[in-house]
Amino acid sequence: MTATTTAPRPTTEQARPRRNRRSGSWLLRRLPWWIVTLVLLGGVLLWIYPFLWMVSASLKDPLEIFGSGLNLLPDTLLWENYTRAWVDADFSRYMWNTVVVTVVTVALVVIRCAMAGYAIGRYDFAGRKVVVVVLVATLFVPTGYTIIPVVEISQQLGLLNSLTGVILALTGGGHVAMILLYWGYFRQIPKELEESAVVDGAGFFTIFFRIMLPLAMPVTATATLLTFLSTWNAFFLPLVFTFSRPDLRTLSVGMQAFVGENTTDWSGMAAAATLSLLPVVILFVVLQRHFVKGLAGAIKQ
């Protein structure tokens, strides 16, 4: 005769935490769909309203900007504000300078951070933990604290007041966040890929550029977007490096062209800001899927 056992039933105290954990999702399911939609729509409008106001102000008269209050519809569409920003304020030159600086900086930063993250994540060398600790510690060092030695070195090298100096100054930072993203992603890849490549006679650079870097495309997209945003919106370093060369200004520094001694061209500034933000919005829309995949893949345990 075989004895049967019955599993003990959970007590009320044991079952209560499970119900509590599900209470939030249960409450959302019980709410009508139109209430959730209205709440989300209100959050979206509140989030994008400053951007919509800027676009609206770029098409208004300077007096109408502050006289119309929160109204987003201009009385008359003044497209000449964009002409004034692009031609008269020389934003076409500032756009070209920003594109050159951003493209070169993104390429150099992504390659350097990818190689650093690959070396730290895949190779067990002496002092690796010390290197990681030092990298993390540099996250707490503000950029302004290092501007003096950067300017001194650039002046001695003859790179001050040049786009090359701006690029090297922006590239020479730690960029620890990107290194840690690559580190977290590369350490999850099976070592059999490298071992089979070594058996076939592949070297370090062949393995990195032909095997590892293509596998890390989601992280590369994330690093590209983050570096693009920080470089495109950089103000302090480009201001210092182009202080005596207005023709080398970037978009963020060029905004000063609309600020005079007695007046400020708010409509022209809004048009210039809209032109400056369009490439950022387009790039984020294109890379948003890879951006999420890169972050999820880097932090996956």
Side-chain angles (χ1 to χ4, degrees):
M1 183 176 181
T2 305
T4 59
T5 58
T6 303
R9 299 180 63 183
T11 62
T12 305
E13 290 76 8
Q14 293 174 339
R16 186 176 301 166
R18 180 175 298 179
R19 290 200 300 267
N20 291 337
R21 288 193 298 268
R22 296 180 178 177
S23 59
S25 59
W26 175 84
L27 181 61
L28 290 177
R29 288 195 298 267
R30 297 289 294 180
L31 288 175
W33 66 268
W34 58 271
I35 293 181
V36 178
T37 303
L38 288 178
V39 172
L40 294 177
L41 184 61
V44 170
L45 293 177
L46 182 64
W47 187 266
I48 67 173
Y49 179 80
F51 179 77
L52 297 178
W53 187 91
M54 180 186 66
V55 176
S56 174
S58 67
L59 298 172
K60 292 181 179 179
D61 184 81
L63 297 178
E64 185 185 355
I65 292 177
F66 301 100
S68 60
L70 300 178
N71 184 20
L72 296 178
L73 298 178
D75 295 336
T76 304
L77 298 179
L78 301 178
W79 295 104
E80 56 266 23
N81 293 336
Y82 286 90
T83 303
R84 188 169 68 256
W86 188 256
V87 179
D88 298 343
D90 207 13
F91 255 66
S92 57
R93 180 186 296 272
Y94 300 157
M95 178 71 76
W96 172 252
N97 294 338
T98 306
V99 169
V100 172
V101 170
T102 302
V103 170
V104 179
T105 300
V106 168
L108 294 176
V109 169
V110 168
I111 293 298
R112 180 172 63 87
C113 293
M115 296 185 70
Y118 175 69
I120 296 175
R122 305 296 293 182
Y123 292 91
D124 188 10
F125 55 89
R128 185 179 65 171
K129 293 183 179 180
V130 176
V131 172
V132 174
V133 171
V134 172
L135 287 175
V136 174
T138 58
L139 287 172
F140 304 96
V141 179
T143 305
Y145 286 10
T146 60
I147 188 63
I148 295 178
V150 169
V151 171
E152 288 292 336
I153 295 174
S154 301
Q155 188 173 9
Q156 293 177 7
L157 295 176
L159 298 175
L160 205 60
N161 299 320
S162 66
L163 291 181
T164 304
V166 177
I167 292 172
L168 293 179
L170 294 173
T171 307
H175 302 283
V176 182
M178 271 68 77
I179 295 177
L180 295 180
L181 283 176
Y182 277 109
W183 172 40
Y185 191 88
F186 281 133
R187 67 177 180 177
Q188 302 173 28
I189 299 177
K191 293 185 177 181
E192 289 75 10
L193 291 175
E194 291 173 306
E195 294 174 353
S196 60
V198 171
V199 171
D200 293 337
F204 174 84
F205 291 102
T206 302
I207 295 174
F208 176 75
F209 284 105
R210 300 188 63 179
I211 299 177
M212 292 300 175
L213 193 58
L215 290 176
M217 285 305 297
V219 180
T220 301
T222 303
T224 299
L225 183 58
L226 293 177
T227 308
F228 180 90
L229 291 176
S230 62
T231 306
W232 190 271
N233 298 321
F235 176 78
F236 192 36
L237 283 173
L239 174 65
V240 174
F241 275 78
T242 62
F243 190 78
S244 59
R245 291 285 304 275
D247 58 308
L248 298 179
R249 289 176 176 175
T250 57
L251 290 172
S252 57
V253 181
M255 289 293 177
Q256 294 180 335
F258 298 97
V259 180
E261 295 182 0
N262 301 317
T263 59
T264 300
D265 186 1
W266 295 107
S267 56
M269 183 181 293
T274 303
L275 293 173
S276 303
L277 286 180
L278 282 179
V280 178
V281 174
I282 294 173
L283 184 66
F284 182 79
V285 171
V286 173
L287 297 180
Q288 61 174 338
R289 183 177 61 180
H290 300 287
F291 178 77
V292 175
K293 287 184 178 180
L295 290 178
I299 63 177
K300 183 179 179 181
Q301 299 295 333

